[in-house]
Amino acid sequence: MDNVFDLDSAIRKVPDFPKKGILFYDITSILADPVAFKHCIDSMIDAYRGERIDAVAAIESRGFVFAAPFADRMGIPLILIRKKGKLPGETISRKYQLEYGEAEIEVHEMDVPKGKRVLVVDDLIATGGTLKAATELVVAAGAQVAGIFGVVGLPFLNYRSMLGGVPIKTLIEYHGE
Amino acid sequence: MDNVFDLDSAIRKVPDFPKKGILFYDITSILADPVAFKHCIDSMIDAYRGERIDAVAAIESRGFVFAAPFADRMGIPLILIRKKGKLPGETISRKYQLEYGEAEIEVHEMDVPKGKRVLVVDDLIATGGTLKAATELVVAAGAQVAGIFGVVGLPFLNYRSMLGGVPIKTLIEYHGE
């Protein structure tokens, strides 16, 4: 939790989205508030000060809005991890399980800097399924996973066990209802 | 066109994507190159120096990666314009024609600052169909369109006639094959 800026108040909570019984933590209200958005990017920079981060990989598509300013401020490469079929070049891909069925994400293998330390960024960490597939892509493309960052974490969905020993940082956590 | 930095060399050209006969201008190669990415964001800032831009609206999802650093540097609100069904709150939406069939985009009406000047951003401007729908959403939500920005413009696809009198800026244009 954050002690200076009240990030919680900047996150819109939408009940029953995308389906009944789910409380959705909406970060678009952060983006609409320049003070809140600056707080998030400042906090990301602070969180990794003193660590070597060579590149940032962003999960489509809300991950893009936090990873892009981070990459811009840090002067490091930004790699997009997208849903299957969106990237035009040579890709490697990973399937992963959803509650019903499966999904697939991919990355331009040539854009992942070999042997470098890559931070994987999304807006929210829930079960960690997408992020686990993303870290596997980073490794399969020849880089190291420096860590995982999410603005919001929902640890009651057990992402820490899903994501094993990878260092995970969030700016705010919610603990169920 | 850009006279100092060779932006063209940073844009990957992929033939036959998403289908045969289309040459795809891929901006993910800009993102992977911090010098090229910084050049683009610097150039966006320069392009609107002296104009009043109160907020930036970003088209899902490649528009996000240019609009987010721009909003971060400018300290202005970032509004996401997304495909139908992705935004959890109260939205307004617009349908528009594709080559085959139609698509629909929407915005959180409450996140659009009423009466303010909003810059609409995407990575690439082709026919302008999506951007036209996006400008209509901005106006329908009660704001003004300050302009349209795309890193890449394809004027041979006639986006200027589609987009009428809205001021359009791009960093590089391609003129067909």
Side-chain angles (χ1 to χ4, degrees):
Chain A
M1 297 291 276
D2 187 83
N3 295 316
V4 181
F5 178 83
D6 181 12
L7 183 56
D8 174 52
S9 72
I11 297 172
R12 188 183 288 134
K13 286 86 179 175
V14 183
D16 299 323
F17 187 89
K19 61 184 183 182
K20 196 157 176 62
I22 306 269
L23 180 63
F24 189 85
Y25 295 93
D26 177 25
I27 58 79
T28 67
S29 45
I30 294 175
L31 309 178
D33 175 351
V35 175
F37 191 38
K38 179 179 190 306
H39 166 82
C40 288
I41 310 300
D42 286 352
S43 299
M44 287 177 73
I45 300 282
D46 286 347
Y48 295 98
R49 201 177 298 283
E51 289 187 49
R52 200 184 111 207
I53 306 292
D54 299 314
V56 54
I59 310 280
E60 181 173 2
S61 64
R62 287 185 300 265
F64 293 1
V65 295
F66 295 98
F70 182 80
D72 177 48
R73 290 204 201 173
M74 297 278 285
I76 59 178
L78 171 63
I79 305 150
L80 303 188
I81 296 184
R82 301 206 62 181
K83 287 158 191 118
K84 182 78 177 175
K86 304 283 193 73
L87 291 170
E90 290 287 324
T91 63
I92 53 173
S93 64
R94 275 290 179 283
K95 290 181 182 167
Y96 60 99
Q97 294 299 312
L98 299 176
E99 191 179 0
Y100 301 102
E102 62 180 21
E104 189 166 3
I105 54 175
E106 57 186 5
V107 70
H108 278 148
E109 183 169 16
M110 58 196 149
D111 288 343
V112 178
K114 310 309 165 205
K116 300 291 186 179
R117 289 171 54 83
V118 177
L119 179 68
V120 181
V121 171
D122 206 349
D123 66 321
L124 181 139
I125 314 178
T127 67
T130 309
L131 280 158
K132 184 172 200 296
T135 60
E136 289 170 356
L137 280 180
V138 167
V139 171
Q144 302 170 52
V145 177
I148 291 172
F149 175 86
V151 175
V152 179
L154 307 180
F156 63 94
L157 296 175
N158 299 317
Y159 61 74
R160 289 199 183 269
S161 61
M162 172 71 86
L163 294 168
V166 179
I168 303 167
K169 296 184 185 187
T170 61
L171 299 186
I172 189 167
E173 293 186 344
Y174 292 100
H175 297 278
E177 294 167 77
Chain B
M1 297 293 276
D2 186 83
N3 296 314
V4 181
F5 178 82
D6 181 13
L7 183 56
D8 173 54
S9 73
I11 297 172
R12 188 183 289 133
K13 286 85 178 175
V14 183
D16 299 322
F17 187 90
K19 60 185 184 182
K20 197 157 176 61
I22 306 268
L23 179 63
F24 189 85
Y25 295 94
D26 177 23
I27 59 79
T28 67
S29 46
I30 294 176
L31 309 178
D33 175 350
V35 175
F37 191 38
K38 180 179 188 308
H39 167 82
C40 289
I41 309 301
D42 286 351
S43 299
M44 288 177 73
I45 300 283
D46 286 347
Y48 295 98
R49 201 176 298 281
E51 288 188 49
R52 200 184 111 207
I53 306 292
D54 298 314
V56 55
I59 310 278
E60 182 171 4
S61 64
R62 287 185 299 264
F64 294 1
V65 295
F66 296 98
F70 182 79
D72 177 48
R73 290 205 203 173
M74 297 278 286
I76 59 178
L78 172 63
I79 304 150
L80 302 188
I81 296 184
R82 301 205 62 181
K83 287 158 193 121
K84 181 79 175 173
K86 303 284 192 77
L87 290 169
E90 290 288 323
T91 62
I92 52 174
S93 64
R94 275 290 178 286
K95 291 181 182 168
Y96 58 99
Q97 295 299 311
L98 299 177
E99 191 178 0
Y100 301 103
E102 62 180 21
E104 190 166 3
I105 55 174
E106 57 187 4
V107 71
H108 277 150
E109 184 170 14
M110 59 195 148
D111 288 343
V112 178
K114 309 310 165 203
K116 300 291 186 178
R117 290 171 53 82
V118 176
L119 179 69
V120 181
V121 171
D122 207 350
D123 67 321
L124 180 140
I125 313 179
T127 67
T130 309
L131 280 158
K132 185 171 199 297
T135 61
E136 290 170 357
L137 280 180
V138 167
V139 170
Q144 301 170 53
V145 176
I148 291 172
F149 175 86
V151 175
V152 179
L154 306 181
F156 63 94
L157 296 175
N158 300 316
Y159 60 76
R160 290 200 181 267
S161 61
M162 172 71 86
L163 295 168
V166 179
I168 303 167
K169 296 184 184 186
T170 60
L171 299 186
I172 190 167
E173 293 185 344
Y174 292 101
H175 297 278
E177 292 166 79

